[in-house]
């Protein structure tokens, strides 16, 4: 992950229309993952229609958010709020916890809000039984849980559809709108890898009430047939073959290998 010196893109956005969203109320976290942090979250619809309205409430999702207070003198307000959107797909907000010292240097005086995408971390999971804290593997899948988890997904594909990037993007919008409704200082979003694709999808659905969006390690929108994350293995293979071809074109590199680089790679890739 990279930070301010290597930001891929910074887009300034003005807040749009008035906001109507449920606010969050933070209390001390009961876990020890990040001492001193506060925890909250919102109950989200399992599905949304094209206008962003909830479709039923039978499969409501809980989306978890962890808050780190601003490192400012007691009694002084934070300079702003920074939402940290993790990558993946499948990576929880915990990926940012070890980076807090760097983040605090990069965004001094800001408070941080870190959500877990639906399906990750402390948010609602795709396999309710196999990924429960009481299961043999806890939140992680273990042993036979893999088979029963995927079997359940195949039986109810419409439920799996509730974990799409569009559903997650609507979650993010609701979270940000709920916090912005508290009349806080400037709000920004910092996203990484898949998180950038998620934020782009949220922007496709309408304006975000933020002053700026930071895209680090940008991933194009999910409709890009060449560069979307679903094409990652093809992109990596293409780039890798280009590197091997450059080795063949370099006399010293080719001499060190003694044979075409691609041939040697295939022998060892097995």
């Amino acid at each position: 992950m990279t930070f301010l010196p290597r930001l891929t893109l910074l887009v300034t956005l003005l807040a749009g229309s008035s906001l109507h969203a449920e606010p969050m109320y933070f209390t001390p976290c009961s876990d020890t993952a990040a001492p001193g942090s506060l925890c909250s979250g919102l109950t989200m619809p399992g599905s949304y229609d094209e206008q962003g309205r909830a479709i039923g409430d039978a499969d409501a999702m809980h989306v978890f958010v962890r808050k780190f207070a601003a490192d400012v003198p007691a009694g002084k307000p934070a300079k702003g709020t920074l939402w940290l959107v993790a990558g993946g797909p499948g990576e929880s907000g915990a990926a940012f916890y070890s980076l807090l010292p760097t983040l605090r240097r990069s965004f001094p005086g800001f408070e941080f809000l870190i959500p877990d995408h639906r399906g990750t971390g402390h948010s609602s999971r795709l396999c309710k039984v196999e990924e429960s804290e009481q299961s043999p593997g806890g939140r992680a899948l273990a042993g036979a849980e893999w088979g029963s988890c995927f079997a359940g997904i195949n039986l109810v594909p419409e439920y799996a559809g509730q974990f799409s990037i569009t559903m997650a993007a609507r979650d993010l919008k609701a979270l940000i709108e709920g916090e912005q409704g508290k009349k806080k200082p400037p709000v920004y979003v910092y996203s990484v890898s898949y998180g950038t694709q998620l934020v782009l999808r949220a922007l496709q659905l309408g304006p975000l009430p933020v002053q700026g969006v930071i895209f680090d390690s940008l991933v194009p929108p999910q409709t890009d047939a060449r560069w979307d994350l679903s094409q990652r293995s093809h992109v990596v293979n293409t780039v890798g073959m280009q590197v091997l071809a450059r080795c063949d074109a370099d006399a010293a590199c080719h001499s060190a290998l003694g044979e075409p680089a691609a041939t040697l790679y295939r022998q060892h890739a097995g």
Side-chain angles (χ1 to χ4, degrees), residues 82-126:
L82 184 71
W83 284 88
L84 300 170
V85 183
E91 189 172 67
S92 76
F96 286 109
Y97 298 170
S98 64
L99 299 167
L100 282 172
T102 302
L103 287 162
R104 291 198 185 282
R105 290 194 300 270
S106 300
F107 302 92
F110 274 70
E111 68 176 15
F112 303 131
L113 293 174
I114 309 178
D116 287 347
H117 308 306
R118 58 170 66 191
T120 73
H122 294 292
S123 294
S124 293
R125 295 302 191 96
L126 181 57

Side-chain angles (χ1 to χ4, degrees), residues 141-160:
L141 294 176
E145 290 181 332
W146 285 93
S148 59
C149 175
F150 278 91
I153 293 173
N154 289 329
L155 286 173
V156 194
E158 60 273 15
Y159 179 69

